[in-house]
Amino acid sequence: MGNVSCITGYKSFELGIFKQDDKSVYYIKQALKKELQSLLDDGLEWVIISGQLGVELWGAEVVFDLQEDYPELKLAVLTPFISQEEKWNDQNKEYYELILSQADFVETISKEPYKNPQQFRNKNQLFLQKSHSCIILYDEEKEGSPKYFYEEAKRKKESDPSFDMRAIGFQDLQWIVEEEQW
């Protein structure tokens, strides 16, 4: 894998988003697209996600849109354990399957079902080892599931200044909303 970036952030329910056509999703995708386009100018080749509902799957959709102009861009979905979608509702499962069916590479990190939080830590470590950059939708004002990845990414940035950590906060989203309204 050449130049790799990972995308992560809040799960949809953490943002209070329960429909794919929620206007917020559009703005989140715009923010992700802006970061990805800038990384593409620097030679981005692969985007990796773990397939979580929310920011990661919206990021996958942005990658698919960008592939029309950047056919060399590829998406890999590396799930933390098998059957992560097992307890999701049918609509979310269908959406997830659709994303997986369009991804360029799909693999499971742990070949077992969910056992403990260590599987998520292993996924975070693998993503940070494999990536040159990361785009994370996380705001320190609002705790949530991306907190652990965010903290590990900050540590990686401190030890490896070439690592490009791009955090999108709520203020950044607000600017995108305002830009769009102009």
Side-chain angles (χ1 to χ4, degrees):
M1 282 189 170
N3 191 330
V4 178
S5 185
C6 59
I7 294 178
T8 193
Y10 295 103
K11 296 183 176 98
S12 35
F13 66 85
E14 291 178 294
L15 294 169
I17 297 173
F18 300 98
K19 293 193 179 91
Q20 289 300 341
D21 60 359
D22 188 301
K23 192 74 177 144
S24 309
V25 174
Y26 169 79
Y27 294 116
I28 290 168
K29 286 180 175 178
Q30 291 301 101
L32 295 172
K33 183 177 185 177
K34 205 163 129 183
E35 296 300 340
L36 284 170
Q37 280 176 315
S38 134
L39 289 169
L40 280 160
D41 295 338
D42 296 335
L44 178 66
E45 295 167 47
W46 281 90
V47 170
I48 55 178
I49 62 170
S50 68
Q52 287 181 333
L53 288 170
V55 172
E56 293 194 12
L57 293 183
W58 300 327
E61 287 188 74
V62 173
V63 169
F64 299 147
D65 290 344
L66 287 168
Q67 284 175 334
E68 291 172 23
D69 295 321
Y70 302 91
E72 70 285 355
L73 181 62
K74 306 247 182 297
L75 177 75
V77 182
L78 305 175
T79 64
F81 44 84
I82 57 172
S83 306
Q84 76 171 342
E85 75 286 2
E86 192 172 46
K87 295 184 170 77
W88 299 357
N89 69 34
D90 289 344
Q91 191 181 359
N92 287 338
K93 282 182 185 170
E94 277 175 37
Y95 174 53
Y96 177 71
E97 292 300 328
L98 181 67
I99 299 288
L100 293 185
S101 71
Q102 296 175 64
D104 298 284
F105 184 81
V106 178
E107 190 57 70
T108 300
I109 297 166
S110 163
K111 305 296 183 211
E112 321 180 69
Y114 179 76
K115 283 211 165 109
N116 59 48
Q118 185 61 42
Q119 289 165 301
F120 289 112
R121 287 194 286 274
N122 294 345
K123 183 257 315 173
N124 290 351
Q125 286 165 350
L126 179 75
F127 276 37
L128 289 168
Q129 280 169 1
K130 298 273 180 216
S131 301
H132 304 96
S133 62
C134 77
I135 301 170
I136 180 167
L137 178 67
Y138 182 69
D139 199 297
E140 291 187 27
E141 302 293 304
K142 183 185 188 324
E143 293 243 325
S145 61
K147 177 184 177 196
Y148 303 102
F149 188 91
Y150 178 79
E151 288 172 354
E152 284 184 53
K154 270 187 11 187
R155 279 195 291 278
K156 175 168 180 171
K157 176 80 182 143
E158 286 163 16
S159 65
D160 175 6
S162 71
F163 181 69
D164 187 356
M165 180 178 170
R166 300 179 177 217
I168 301 168
F170 295 133
Q171 185 57 55
D172 302 305
L173 292 177
Q174 189 55 45
W175 287 327
I176 287 175
V177 170
E178 288 167 16
E179 262 176 38
E180 292 275 329
Q181 287 168 349
W182 279 94

